[in-house]
Amino acid sequence: MWGKLHIHHEAVENRRFETLFDVKRADDFTASVGDMRLDYAKTNIDERGRALLIDLLDQVDLAGKRDAMFDGTAINETEGRAVLHTALRNLDGGPVMVDGADVMPEVLGTLDRMEKFAADVRSGAFKGQGGKITDVVNIGIGGSDLGPAMGVLALAPYHDGPRCHFVSNVDPADISQVLRSCDPTTTLVIVASKTFTTIETMTNARTAKAWMGESVSDPAAQFAALSTSEDGTAAFGIDAARVFGFEDWVGGRYSMWGPIGLSMMIAIGPDAFRAFLRGARDMDRHFQAADWSENMPVMLALVGIWHNQICGYSTRAVLPYDNNLSRLPAYLQQLEMESNGKGVSMDGEDLSINSGPVVWGEPGTNGQHAFYQLIHQGTRVIPCEFLVAARGHDDDLHHQHQLLVANCLAQSEALMKGRDLDEARGKVADKFEGAELERQAKHRVFAGNRPSVTIAYPKLDPFTLGQIIALYEHRVFVEGVVLGINSYDQWGVELGKELATALQPIVEGADASGKDESTAALVGFLQQHGV
């Protein structure tokens, strides 16, 4: 199914895609959802290439698989589960059926309970044992941390509730530094673990409980849980009224729309959180209804397929020119690399093509002074995804925001246009001559012809953040369907967990025989130095 695309790529790969621009390209190679715009004109995709990419979608029955996901079919076949994070933002939609039952009453009931609790925390109706809650500490890892931590930072201008902190790493430095900044008598701790057995999370939860117990008589009274384990949360001492569960058809990295987003709701308030859900729902409806060539998640996915599977570009840089989105690249690392970092297709066969790319990035303009050197002049082509808002949140500093926007647009332009040797000579002709002029000029050449896409929007508010996250979720789904893999399991994380459990007694002093010589030697070295 890839043959025609590879043939087309071989025919066009050496052309300057700057030459593709005519009076129509800037509009034709975009997709829009409301006031959000995806521009993929600065790529080597032309009308023929786009048509061939869209042909892939019919070959894999994307429409049918998309509808199956929204309808509650168990598309996570290796675990026998539906994939219904979209139901968590179905605020005004119809029933969503799983195994013959409508899940929406429970979804909306849980949302109501979250809103009541968040409002009580924010108003002071729910207090700590020293007074009104001033700080919220969310303890989780992976999807129980990355989503809300990213979202709380992204929506910092909308905070009017307690301060929010996030602890994920089992490294004691993480929790000790957070707790040091909090008053145990006015801190609410949220433990986010579906099973209430995640070793890193529960280790940190017990540490937080002991810390709080030094200052209050009933530390568990200042804990809430995001979990489905009634027994586990009860044994920990958390009242059932402060336990918020979610079903197994919500994967961890897709869970910030429900109870895992409680810290966000407390920070920005229930109304703003509902706006966040509505933004995601807006993207859901667009994904369900728009023609493929005008469908933003679909076209973002097909650009990714073109760059990774056809052009062979193995990494993708996510570059938000919005400091509040500084955690978005880390969030997308999990969303994309855990979802599509697979080597086996749905039918159990080894993949014959590369799976998902390495995703990384930093906010602009910081990255410009760090790794953009490699992006512009390195030997590998790295497709870039820029995100930028027309307006910031500080009207008195609008001139700085304009400078930020200028930098964003300049980077995508520079990646495309580059600078040839003649232009580079002109830059230094007044300083050098002869062979030295040639040498110096070559150092100033930019190859250009390096692809990028830009996602632009008016302002980063809760609704827009919801659109952005849902956009990337659906992009991952489309890429997974095209690749023929299951984007909703994550068996690759299991082996390391199993080995860590087996290694802990050895680190603590048990016999290391049976371990490979390297691991045994490292254990010995670390024990000599106090582990």
Side-chain angles (χ1 to χ4, degrees), residues 377 438-446:
Q377 290 188 310
E438 291 300 296
R439 187 177 76 88
Q440 290 286 346
K442 283 188 174 181
H443 284 284
R444 291 159 174 81
V445 169
F446 290 72

Side-chain angles (χ1 to χ4, degrees), residues 46 111 113 139 161 284 287 301 338 343 346 372 376 407 419 443 445 505:
D46 55 19
L111 180 60
R113 290 183 58 232
I139 298 177
D284 291 343
F287 178 49
E338 193 168 84
M346 291 285 273
Y372 278 40
H376 282 289
N407 270 272
R419 177 190 291 159
H443 284 284
V445 169

Side-chain angles (χ1 to χ4, degrees), residues 81 106 142 206 384 425 432 454:
R81 296 175 181 173
E106 183 176 355
R206 288 188 287 270
C384 296
R425 288 192 192 100
F432 306 102
T454 300

Side-chain angles (χ1 to χ4, degrees), residues 287-454:
F287 178 49
Q288 289 178 283
D291 292 341
W292 295 146
S293 63
E294 299 174 355
N295 194 304
M296 189 180 291
V298 167
M299 292 316 304
L300 186 61
L302 292 181
V303 171
I305 292 288
W306 171 260
H307 288 151
N308 186 9
Q309 281 72 31
I310 304 302
C311 300
Y313 307 146
S314 60
T315 79
R316 175 189 299 151
V318 178
L319 308 169
Y321 275 68
D322 195 322
N323 200 61
N324 289 334
L325 285 176
S326 59
R327 292 290 291 164
L328 180 66
Y331 172 78
L332 293 179
Q333 282 177 349
Q334 186 196 25
L335 180 66
E336 301 202 30
M337 294 168 69
E338 193 168 84
S339 295
N340 289 345
K342 310 292 171 61
V344 176
S345 65
M346 291 285 273
D347 59 8
E349 298 296 323
D350 291 342
L351 286 184
S352 60
I353 53 174
N354 288 325
S355 57
V358 176
V359 178
W360 58 283
E362 281 286 325
T365 58
N366 297 19
Q368 292 175 203
H369 295 267
F371 52 78
Y372 278 40
Q373 168 64 43
L374 182 134
I375 289 175
H376 282 289
Q377 290 188 310
T379 57
R380 296 179 178 89
V381 174
I382 300 171
C384 296
E385 293 182 1
F386 297 98
L387 295 95
V388 65
R391 303 187 307 278
H393 292 90
D394 301 289
D395 292 341
D396 56 333
L397 296 175
H398 185 61
H399 63 288
Q400 283 194 216
H401 188 77
Q402 289 175 322
L403 177 60
L404 178 75
V405 171
N407 270 272
C408 179
L409 300 182
Q411 291 300 322
S412 64
E413 183 180 17
L415 285 167
M416 178 177 69
K417 289 186 173 180
R419 177 190 291 159
D420 63 21
L421 185 58
D422 285 341
E423 187 179 356
R425 288 192 192 100
K427 292 287 184 181
V428 293
D430 60 336
K431 298 179 182 178
F432 306 102
E433 59 183 21
E436 183 61 12
L437 172 61
E438 291 300 296
R439 187 177 76 88
Q440 290 286 346
K442 283 188 174 181
H443 284 284
R444 291 159 174 81
V445 169
F446 290 72
N449 223 36
R450 302 196 170 197
S452 68
V453 302
T454 300

Side-chain angles (χ1 to χ4, degrees), residues 53-180:
L53 287 165
I54 289 174
D55 283 346
L56 293 178
L57 308 181
D58 292 331
Q59 295 177 47
V60 298
D61 186 25
L62 177 66
K65 291 181 171 64
R66 174 199 60 194
D67 294 345
M69 177 179 71
F70 279 95
D71 289 343
T73 301
I75 65 169
N76 178 355
E77 295 180 9
T78 58
E79 297 179 303
R81 296 175 181 173
V83 176
L84 274 178
H85 48 279
T86 55
L88 299 178
R89 57 228 193 192
N90 181 31
L91 299 182
D92 51 1
V96 177
M97 310 301 291
V98 176
D99 296 329
D102 181 10
V103 303
M104 288 311 302
E106 183 176 355
V107 167
L108 297 176
T110 299
L111 180 60
D112 288 343
R113 290 183 58 232
M114 289 171 58
E115 291 180 335
K116 174 65 166 60
F117 181 65
D120 285 349
V121 171
R122 287 162 56 83
S123 70
F126 175 89
K127 292 181 172 63
Q129 289 156 76
K132 186 176 180 179
I133 296 296
T134 58
D135 294 88
V136 175
V137 177
N138 185 94
I139 298 177
I141 197 165
S144 298
D145 168 78
L146 287 165
M150 178 274 297
V152 164
L153 177 57
L155 298 179
Y158 298 89
H159 289 196
D160 55 4
R163 295 177 298 173
C164 284
H165 315 268
F166 293 87
V167 173
S168 58
N169 202 324
V170 77
D171 184 336
D174 193 7
I175 192 165
S176 65
Q177 289 167 12
V178 168
L179 297 183
R180 199 176 298 136

